[in-house]
Amino acid sequence: AQKVTQAQTEISVVEKEDVTLDCVYETRDTTYYLFWYKQPPSGELVFLIRRNSFDEQNEISGRYSWNFQKSTSSFNFTITASQVVDSAVYFCALGPRAGNNRKLIWGLGTSLAVNP
Amino acid sequence: DAEITQSPRHKITETGRQVTLACHQTWNHNNMFWYRQDLGHGLRLIHYSYGVQDTNKGEVSDGYSVSRSNTEDLPLTLESAASSQTSVYFCASSAGNSPLHFGNGTRLTVT
C-alpha cells in the first residue's frame, strides 16, 4: 500500500529555533516523486519542493533544507532559524513518476507554530 | 502572472440545493483537479481532467460532477448538497507531471 505518514500533528517553537518536520512514506514503486507543500493561515497551498526517488542529494534553499533517505523511506524538512512567517501547515506527498498527478498520496500535515 | 482563481471564497448553502464552485486557470495547463480538505483526512481527490471533454472520478466523487468545455475552467457541481460535503475545496492544475499549482480554496458550508 502507498502511504505517507507525518507523525507530528502540531509543533510549536520559538522564533530562531531550528525545526524538523518528519515525513515517512511507503511505496512499492521503484521510481517516484516526493513533495512538500506549505499551507499558510491564508489557506492556499504552495509548492515547496519535488524530489525524484533516484536523487538522494540533500537540497537547501535559503533557510529550508530537505533530507531524503531511501534507506529509511523518509523525506524530512528542516527550517533553520525559524520565523513567524513560517507558521503554516506543511504537507508531504508521494506520487508515481507517471500518472499526471492523479495518484498523489498526501500526508495529514504538520501544523507549525512559530512564536515570537 | 498566471494563476488559478476559485470562486466564491466562501459559500453557505442549504441541504438539497445544487451548488457550483468555479475554477479558472491561466497557466494553460491541460490537467486540472478538484480536492476536498477535511480535518483528519487531509486532501482527497474528487475529480480530475486531462483536457477538454475529459473528466475522471477520483476517490471521493459521489455527489459531485465536473465538466471541461475549455482549457481554463473546471467547475465542480454538487448535485444535491449534503452536510457531509461541508469542507474546503481546492482546485489545482499541472502541465503533465509537473507539480500542482493550487487555487486559494472555497470554504463551503452546507446547513
Side-chain angles (χ1 to χ4, degrees):
Chain A
Q2 312 240 57
K3 189 177 179 182
V4 173
T5 301
Q6 295 181 252
Q8 305 146 308
T9 305
E10 296 180 355
I11 301 175
S12 181
V13 300
V14 177
E15 212 170 14
K16 297 184 184 176
E17 281 186 38
D18 299 346
V19 58
T20 295
L21 310 181
D22 297 332
C23 174
V24 174
Y25 62 93
E26 296 175 28
T27 182
R28 286 175 290 197
D29 292 339
T30 53
T31 60
Y32 48 88
Y33 286 126
L34 292 161
F35 304 81
W36 276 96
Y37 280 82
K38 174 182 180 180
Q39 186 176 37
S42 51
E44 75 275 21
L45 281 144
V46 179
F47 166 73
L48 294 179
I49 189 172
R50 181 177 74 176
R51 172 60 72 201
N52 198 317
S53 57
F54 57 73
D55 182 1
E56 286 194 70
Q57 276 194 323
N58 289 338
E59 176 102 7
I60 298 175
S61 176
R63 296 183 297 105
Y64 294 174
S65 62
W66 290 269
N67 180 268
F68 174 34
Q69 292 195 334
K70 283 182 86 169
S71 61
T72 57
S73 297
S74 64
F75 186 43
N76 296 336
F77 173 29
T78 297
I79 301 174
T80 302
S82 59
Q83 299 177 2
V84 172
V85 293
D86 296 325
S87 296
V89 180
Y90 291 87
F91 291 93
C92 181
L94 164 72
R97 290 193 61 210
N100 291 326
N101 291 316
R102 66 182 169 90
K103 290 186 178 179
L104 284 180
I105 306 297
W106 295 83
L108 295 185
T110 296
S111 178
L112 173 65
V114 181
N115 302 298
Chain B
D1 282 350
E3 60 181 358
I4 301 181
T5 304
Q6 291 185 237
S7 61
R9 290 298 310 275
H10 302 272
K11 174 79 176 176
I12 300 174
T13 190
E14 294 177 347
T15 301
R17 290 194 179 264
Q18 183 181 80
V19 178
T20 296
L21 309 183
C23 175
H24 178 82
Q25 54 102 357
T26 58
W27 288 97
N28 199 33
H29 287 161
N30 282 331
N31 305 333
M32 295 184 73
F33 305 81
W34 273 104
Y35 286 90
R36 59 179 290 175
Q37 183 179 30
D38 305 284
L39 270 176
H41 292 280
L43 283 161
R44 292 182 290 176
L45 183 62
I46 305 171
H47 281 286
Y48 60 98
S49 167
Y50 286 156
V52 176
Q53 302 302 332
D54 176 73
T55 60
N56 306 279
K57 294 181 179 180
E59 63 176 299
V60 290
S61 60
D62 286 350
Y64 303 94
S65 64
V66 293
S67 61
R68 187 90 180 269
S69 59
N70 58 52
T71 300
E72 296 79 18
D73 298 290
L74 188 70
L76 177 71
T77 297
L78 288 67
E79 304 294 344
S80 177
S83 57
S84 60
Q85 294 177 308
T86 291
S87 186
V88 180
Y89 291 87
F90 285 97
C91 181
S93 71
S94 71
N97 225 20
S98 66
L100 293 173
H101 293 264
F102 282 86
N104 286 341
T106 293
R107 183 175 295 276
L108 176 68
T109 302
V110 182
T111 62

